[in-house]
Amino acid sequence: MFSRTTSKTVTFSHPFVLTGIDGVQPAGTYTVETDEELVDGLSFPAYRRVATVILLPVAAGGTILVQAATIDPLDLERAEQADAAIA
């Protein structure tokens, strides 16, 4: 089965919370990756979302690592809208 990954950056101006991730995340720019797989048996190409992941920085002994956390894209959209609504 064919799959693809798309990547985008999202910027939060304020601290934010996402379901399934412990704690409040600091404001900043984050990479979000979406994995999709090709739906078989159709006469046209169509993809189904398999996973959406946000990459979170994790400080470990002076080194910054990245933790990948699976998130709900609708939850991310709500967090982005809430961030934009804060004056």
Side-chain angles (χ1 to χ4, degrees):
M1 183 165 289
F2 294 103
S3 64
R4 68 181 181 186
T5 300
T6 55
S7 180
K8 70 176 186 174
T9 57
V10 293
T11 301
F12 288 95
S13 299
H14 306 88
F16 65 99
V17 176
L18 292 173
T19 303
I21 299 175
D22 292 337
V24 176
Q25 302 306 311
T29 301
Y30 295 83
T31 299
V32 176
E33 296 179 347
T34 301
D35 295 331
E36 300 170 307
E37 63 184 15
L38 186 63
V39 177
D40 288 331
L42 299 177
S43 61
F44 57 91
Y47 287 84
R48 165 186 21 231
R49 182 180 43 80
V50 177
T52 301
V53 174
I54 189 167
L55 303 179
L56 304 169
V58 177
T63 303
I64 297 181
L65 303 173
V66 177
Q67 172 186 6
T70 301
I71 59 170
D72 180 341
L74 295 177
D75 193 33
L76 176 63
E77 184 178 331
R78 285 189 291 268
E80 288 179 285
Q81 290 171 350
D83 185 67
I86 298 172

